[in-house]
């Protein structure tokens, strides 16, 4: 059994005893077999000494119990690592960063506390998953929906605290943090607070308005380690009425710039309100989203990458013109009553036809809600079909990536995501491709899919996420190299002004200092000042997003 | 279009207070029925019919067992052992993650085993 660093065996035993008194013996896990369940199964530290150990896990059932646990932890200086549903796979799973920490597993706190069907808000506990929310709406016939990320077994709260992304609405939807409205937090020092209007006893608007009176502090609890969130409010949506998607193909390489600007116009003016997908049929990508066939062997001949350079445009362009293959494609989605989206789609067709001569359109997909089960069963069925995740219907579809499949005999051990934000300008997107092409080759990183065929993902309206993914290995040496490559890519991107929106726990400390370099890292000093103010003993989630307790700072980040 | 106007569904209360009851309700069921519930909640999402929305369990097992007569969907198997189901649930394998006891308790795991494992394969 592991012991938290700097804690005597006797103090740890006393702390565990007190935890048992608070939550009941059955909810304190100390057996090696049980604590091993908290390791990150996708860890790049697997089979090595660097893999953090979990000394124990405690699973409370209420905010009062959380507060009592945090107070005991402060008394014995026991480091805690809170998780909500603990499914942060690809970014650290349920594992702490500091070896020897006690995991505070909030999965049992799984109550949906309030649902307001008229103002479209809800208040939930940390253990509530997206599946739970969906089932709750359906079983109680509540005319509501909520944007979901791909892995629907995660929690609205864990997702929000990672500032993760979902897949449906452009406003109050995909950007999870944007939908957070009011929270209850147990601070590292054991104090409990409610934010926004909730700071008034009996507030009647806690989930209706994000800011109350005075400083707006909610943001400091995301991607940080200042408190344990025990309740969080969210803005949700009236149930879907309609769905429409439309694919635009543009003929020329140069059309990318205009195509992207038109998308920004439509998104930022509120004419389109769903998640945009972009890619390049010409460069052999994107056929997953756009129902275009994969490149033929003849087409592939024009796609040979020689000397790490983009294939010659002129012959490729000519081949594509002769075969009516789009240089770029853009999929637009509307989540609106179909009567309204029909007019918006017509406007959009006119706009593109006027602004990009020679563009053409794919089929429109239209769905009318509520969806019958036989319609639901056709979603995700083939490339270009509407996807469940875009319609708030939970699944785990993207876990199918990287698995052993026909024609792909080996399987990955897990995912390790690299997610830099790329400016939403066509010319910058092309530059990003060039820089990343060079970086992949220089660093020896395997390419994901058809490189020039892919464009960033548009979870947010104004910025794309240029995802790259390493397959995790059972071989520690391969994983060590992965970690080095990841940090080198972070450095290259930062030098170009592109920074990550989120990162896996094993690289938090390094990437925080690579990225936050302006004015000698003054932002990092502010993070540390906040940490020392609300969690002076450094009890919570040591090392999360590079924020270490005062007494470990020198050792852990050389500061 | 809309099924019913909102006011018909919720004439009085705008705010509902509904507690989640799933895990407690499950415990009263017979083991195979509980096992089926656990399977649907935690396993079927990847090991269900291969419809492009499942998490890849069925697809990967189809590739693994290609050329044999072992079915790709776990619920169609007659050769699963209790040991294999327990080990995979607690340790995972490749992209299949493991499950903690706050997700699937020991008694729920045994119900799952009772549901998936044919009597003569125990
Ligand atoms: C194939 C695949 C697809 C994915 N797709 C997406 C996607 O579409 N969108 C997306 O955003 N992510 C995606 N991810 C990443 C990730 O798996 C999900 O975001 C996941 O849902 C997050 O897990 P969770 O909600 O269980 O959070 P948790 O694991 O519970 O929490 C995440 C972290 O937040 C902190 N935390 C959690 N709860 C608390 C609390 N109550 N108090 C204080 N701190 C807390 C902890 O540090 C914890 O480690 C994907 C991953 C994979 C492997």
């Amino acid at each position: 059994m592991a012991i938290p660093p700097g804690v005597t065996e006797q103090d740890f035993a006393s702390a565990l005893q007190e935890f048992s008194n608070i939550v009941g013996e059955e909810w304190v896990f100390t057996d090696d077999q049980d604590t091993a369940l908290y390791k990150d199964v996708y860890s790049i530290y697997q089979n090595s000494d660097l893999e953090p150990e979990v000394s124990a896990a405690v699973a409370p059932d209420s905010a009062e119990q959380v507060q009592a646990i945090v107070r005991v932890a402060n008394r014995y200086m026991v480091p805690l690592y809170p998780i909500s549903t603990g499914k942060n796979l690809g970014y650290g799973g349920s594992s702490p960063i500091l070896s020897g920490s006690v995991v505070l597993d909030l999965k049992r706190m799984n109550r949906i506390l309030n649902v307001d069907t008229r103002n479209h808000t809800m208040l939930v506990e940390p253990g509530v998953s997206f599946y739970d929310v969906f089932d709750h709406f359906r079983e109680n016939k509540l005319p509501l929906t909520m944007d979901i990320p791909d892995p629907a077994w995660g929690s609205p709260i864990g997702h929000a605290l990672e500032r993760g992304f979902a897949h449906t609405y452009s406003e109050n939807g995909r950007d999870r943090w944007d939908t957070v409205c009011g929270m209850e937090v147990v601070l590292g020092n054991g104090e409990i607070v409610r934010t926004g209007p909730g700071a008034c006893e009996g507030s009647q608007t806690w989930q209706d308005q994000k800011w109350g009176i005075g400083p707006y502090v909610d943001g400091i609890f995301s991607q940080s380690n200042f408190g344990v969130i025990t309740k969080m409010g969210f803005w949700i949506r009236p149930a879907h009425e309609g769905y429409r998607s439309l694919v635009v193909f543009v003929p020329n390489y140069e059309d990318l710039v205009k195509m992207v600007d038109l998308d920004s116009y439509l998104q930022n003016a509120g004419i389109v309100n769903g998640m945009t997908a972009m890619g390049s049929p010409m460069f052999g990508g994107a056929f997953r989203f756009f129902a275009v066939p994969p490149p033929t062997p003849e087409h592939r001949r024009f796609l040979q990458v020689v000397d790490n350079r983009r294939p010659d445009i002129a012959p490729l362009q000519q081949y594509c013109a002769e075969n009516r293959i789009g240089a770029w494609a853009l999929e637009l989605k509307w989540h609106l009553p179909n009567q309204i989206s029909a007019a918006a789609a017509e406007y959009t067709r006119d706009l593109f036809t006027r602004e990009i001569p020679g563009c053409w359109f794919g089929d429109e997909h239209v769905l009318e809600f509520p969806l019958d089960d036989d319609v639901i069963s056709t979603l995700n069925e083939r490339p270009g079909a509407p996807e469940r995740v875009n319609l708030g219907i939970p699944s785990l579809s993207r876990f199918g990536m990287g698995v052993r499949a026909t024609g792909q005999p080996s399987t990955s051990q897990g995912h390790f995501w690299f997610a830099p934000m790329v400016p939403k300008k066509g010319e910058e997107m092309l530059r990003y491709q060039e820089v990343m092409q060079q970086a992949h080759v220089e660093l020896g990183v395997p390419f994901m899919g058809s490189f020039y065929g892919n464009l960033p993902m548009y979870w947010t309206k104004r910025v794309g996420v240029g995802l790259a993914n390493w397959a995790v290995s059972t071989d520690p040496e391969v994983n060590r190299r992965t970690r080095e490559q990841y940090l080198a890519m972070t450095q290259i991107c930062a030098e170009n002004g592109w920074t990550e929106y989120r990162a896996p726990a094993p690289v938090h400390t390094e990437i925080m200092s690579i990225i936050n370099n302006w004015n000698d890292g003054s932002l990092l000093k502010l993070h540390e000042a906040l940490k020392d103010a609300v969690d002076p003993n450094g009890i919570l989630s040591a090392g999360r997003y590079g924020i270490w307790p005062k007494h470990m700072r020198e050792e852990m980040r050389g500061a | 279009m809309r099924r019913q106007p909102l006011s018909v569904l919720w004439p009085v209360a705008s705010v509902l207070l509904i507690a989640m009851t799933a895990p407690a309700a499950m415990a009263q069921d017979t083991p195979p029925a509980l096992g089926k519930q656990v399977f649907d909640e935690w396993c079927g999402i990847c090991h269900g019919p291969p419809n492009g929305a499942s998490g890849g369990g069925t697809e990967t097992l189809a590739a693994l067992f290609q050329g044999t007569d072992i079915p790709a969907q776990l619920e169609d198997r007659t050769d699963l052992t209790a040991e294999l189901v327990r080990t995979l649930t607690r340790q995972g394998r490749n992209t299949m993650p493991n499950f903690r006891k706050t997700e699937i308790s020991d008694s729920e795991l045994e119900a799952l085993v009772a549901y998936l494992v044919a009597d003569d394969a125990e």
Side-chain angles (χ1 to χ4, degrees):
Chain A
M1 179 187 177
I3 295 275
V7 179
T8 64
E9 227 164 285
Q10 200 186 350
D11 275 358
F12 191 47
S14 308
L16 290 175
Q17 184 55 54
E18 294 197 34
F19 292 157
S20 287
N21 299 344
I22 296 164
V23 298
E25 217 174 305
E26 70 203 286
W27 298 114
V28 179
F29 301 104
T30 53
D31 278 3
D32 288 347
Q33 267 189 0
D34 291 348
T35 55
L37 299 174
Y38 289 86
K39 287 188 175 177
D40 174 12
V41 270
Y42 290 0
S43 178
I44 56 159
Y45 289 145
Q46 57 189 271
N47 305 322
S48 87
D49 306 343
L50 295 169
E51 175 147 48
E53 295 217 59
V54 175
S55 58
V58 187
D61 188 37
S62 68
E64 292 70 27
Q65 291 185 358
V66 170
Q67 190 177 23
I69 292 165
V70 172
R71 288 187 167 149
V72 169
N74 268 282
R75 221 165 39 252
Y76 296 101
M77 298 291 280
V78 170
L80 296 176
Y81 191 84
I83 57 171
S84 285
T85 38
K87 285 270 176 270
N88 198 19
L89 296 161
Y91 291 101
S94 46
S95 167
I97 297 173
L98 175 69
S99 193
S101 299
V102 172
V103 174
L104 186 59
D105 183 344
L106 306 175
K107 179 67 194 166
R108 290 178 65 220
M109 292 171 61
N110 64 354
R111 284 159 286 241
I112 296 176
L113 299 168
N114 274 305
V115 176
D116 181 341
T117 57
R118 289 167 67 195
N119 221 12
H120 314 110
T121 69
M122 67 177 191
L123 180 71
V124 297
E125 290 188 328
V128 170
S129 73
F130 293 99
Y131 276 110
D132 295 336
V133 172
F134 181 83
D135 291 347
H136 182 81
F137 292 169
R138 200 177 40 185
E139 280 156 22
N140 295 288
K141 298 198 169 35
L142 307 184
L144 294 168
T145 182
M146 179 180 200
D147 262 63
I148 51 172
D150 188 71
W153 54 19
S155 49
I157 292 185
H159 194 227
L161 294 176
E162 279 285 282
R163 296 204 297 261
F165 292 133
H167 295 251
T168 310
Y169 290 96
S170 302
E171 292 289 346
N172 303 318
R174 295 198 298 276
D175 186 341
R176 175 68 56 220
W177 188 259
D178 212 27
T179 69
V180 171
C181 190
M183 61 177 85
E184 180 184 90
V185 196
V186 175
L187 302 177
N189 61 13
E191 182 66 283
I192 187 163
V193 297
R194 288 185 175 181
T195 66
C200 173
E201 187 82 53
S203 162
Q204 295 297 305
T205 57
W206 192 17
Q207 270 61 68
D208 303 324
Q209 171 67 349
K210 294 177 185 177
W211 12 96
I213 189 157
Y216 174 63
V217 297
D218 299 44
I220 66 167
F221 296 102
S222 64
Q223 296 195 353
S224 73
N225 52 14
F226 305 147
V228 183
I229 282 52
T230 46
K231 292 181 182 64
M232 198 180 260
F234 292 92
W235 286 351
I236 51 180
R237 287 266 178 182
H240 290 264
E241 286 194 46
Y243 168 83
R244 179 184 305 268
S245 68
L246 171 66
V247 180
V248 188
F249 296 95
V250 301
N252 301 309
Y253 179 70
E254 299 74 31
D255 292 335
L256 178 69
V257 174
K258 190 77 199 175
M259 181 184 92
V260 172
D261 285 355
L262 289 180
D263 180 64
S264 291
Y265 169 72
L266 291 168
Q267 290 278 344
N268 297 339
I271 298 166
V272 165
N273 73 343
M275 183 165 173
T276 291
M278 295 186 204
S280 172
M282 176 161 88
F283 288 110
F287 42 88
R288 179 195 161 108
F289 293 122
F290 306 120
V292 295
T296 60
E298 197 188 355
H299 184 176
R300 278 190 196 288
R301 279 211 305 278
F302 294 99
L303 294 176
Q304 301 303 328
V305 174
V306 182
D307 293 337
N308 303 323
R309 292 233 132 41
R310 187 186 290 278
D312 262 353
I313 305 295
L316 184 57
Q317 180 83 66
Q318 193 184 338
Y319 174 82
C320 290
E322 283 160 10
N323 293 279
R324 202 169 162 80
I325 295 168
W328 306 99
L330 170 74
E331 186 191 30
L332 300 163
K333 303 187 186 79
W334 287 269
H335 306 283
L336 287 168
N338 289 325
Q339 222 179 341
I340 299 175
S341 64
E346 200 183 316
Y347 174 90
T348 301
R349 284 171 183 266
D350 288 349
L351 180 72
F352 274 93
T353 307
R354 210 164 53 233
E355 297 284 334
I356 306 184
C359 74
W360 70 95
F361 303 92
D363 292 340
E364 279 185 32
H365 286 279
V366 180
L367 297 173
E368 187 80 26
F369 289 75
L371 301 178
D372 293 338
D373 283 350
D374 53 329
V375 173
I376 293 180
S377 70
T378 65
L379 303 173
N380 300 67
E381 210 177 32
R382 58 199 156 72
E387 287 197 83
R388 290 173 203 229
V389 70
N390 291 130
L391 304 171
I393 304 170
S395 77
L396 290 173
S397 65
R398 282 173 183 72
F399 275 79
M401 284 185 313
V403 299
R404 182 191 293 116
T406 315
Q408 183 184 313
S410 76
T411 175
S412 138
Q413 197 63 35
H415 308 269
F416 195 70
W417 293 106
F418 179 67
M421 298 181 287
V422 184
K424 194 178 172 189
K425 303 275 168 17
E427 59 277 24
E428 273 289 281
M429 288 151 71
L430 293 174
R431 193 167 78 81
Y432 175 77
Q433 289 187 333
E434 305 299 346
V435 170
M436 290 304 273
Q437 162 81 25
Q438 295 300 319
H440 275 75
V441 173
E442 265 163 40
L443 301 170
V445 179
F447 286 101
M448 188 167 84
S450 151
F451 194 75
Y452 290 118
N454 297 330
L455 290 173
M457 300 283 289
Y458 285 90
W459 280 293
T460 73
K461 294 194 301 181
R462 289 186 171 80
V463 94
V465 176
L467 278 186
N469 177 33
W470 280 262
V472 174
S473 165
T474 47
D475 179 352
E477 182 48 31
V478 172
N479 292 334
R480 193 193 55 75
R481 213 165 48 234
T482 292
R483 193 173 179 283
E484 269 177 17
Q485 291 166 337
Y486 188 107
L487 294 175
M489 282 234 186
T490 301
Q491 183 73 51
I492 292 169
C493 283
E495 281 161 11
N496 284 279
W498 309 320
T499 60
E500 283 136 84
Y501 91 92
R502 170 186 185 182
V507 291
H508 279 178
T509 298
E510 289 85 348
I511 70 129
M512 284 296 282
S513 66
I514 293 172
I515 288 175
N516 297 298
N517 58 8
W518 189 79
N519 188 26
D520 201 19
S522 52
L523 182 61
L524 299 177
K525 291 176 198 150
L526 173 61
H527 295 163
E528 288 169 353
L530 289 168
K531 179 72 175 169
D532 298 342
V534 296
D535 183 12
N537 292 325
I539 295 303
L540 296 179
S541 311
R544 178 159 159 81
Y545 284 91
I547 307 167
W548 290 95
K550 202 173 202 153
H551 61 276
M552 293 180 186
R553 236 163 252 165
E554 170 114 30
E555 180 194 348
M556 294 304 196
R557 80 165 196 90
Chain B
M1 295 279 285
R2 188 186 287 288
R3 286 143 292 176
Q4 282 181 49
L6 297 183
S7 55
V8 175
L9 281 173
W10 304 111
V12 214
S14 63
V15 174
L16 307 174
L17 208 93
I18 300 169
M20 303 282 303
T21 53
M26 275 186 184
Q28 294 153 8
D29 292 323
T30 58
L34 172 62
K36 165 80 176 141
Q37 280 182 45
V38 175
F39 183 86
D40 288 346
E41 181 175 359
W42 292 108
C43 320
I45 46 186
C46 289
H47 289 288
N51 57 10
S54 88
T58 299
E59 288 84 345
T60 198
L61 293 180
L64 186 63
F65 298 132
Q66 203 173 23
T68 74
D69 55 10
I70 304 176
Q73 254 174 272
L74 290 183
E75 281 172 297
D76 298 337
R77 299 267 295 263
T78 52
D79 65 327
L80 287 176
T81 62
E83 194 45 39
L84 187 69
V85 173
R86 288 191 196 111
T87 309
L88 270 280
T89 303
R90 291 299 184 215
Q91 291 172 19
R93 196 168 86 197
N94 297 330
T95 52
M96 175 178 155
N98 69 316
F99 299 88
R100 313 186 306 273
K101 292 190 175 178
T102 49
E103 297 173 312
I104 300 175
S105 69
D106 283 336
S107 57
E108 286 167 349
L109 176 54
E110 288 321 301
L112 180 64
V113 166
Y115 172 66
L116 283 177
V117 175
D119 289 343
D120 54 352
E122 284 264 3

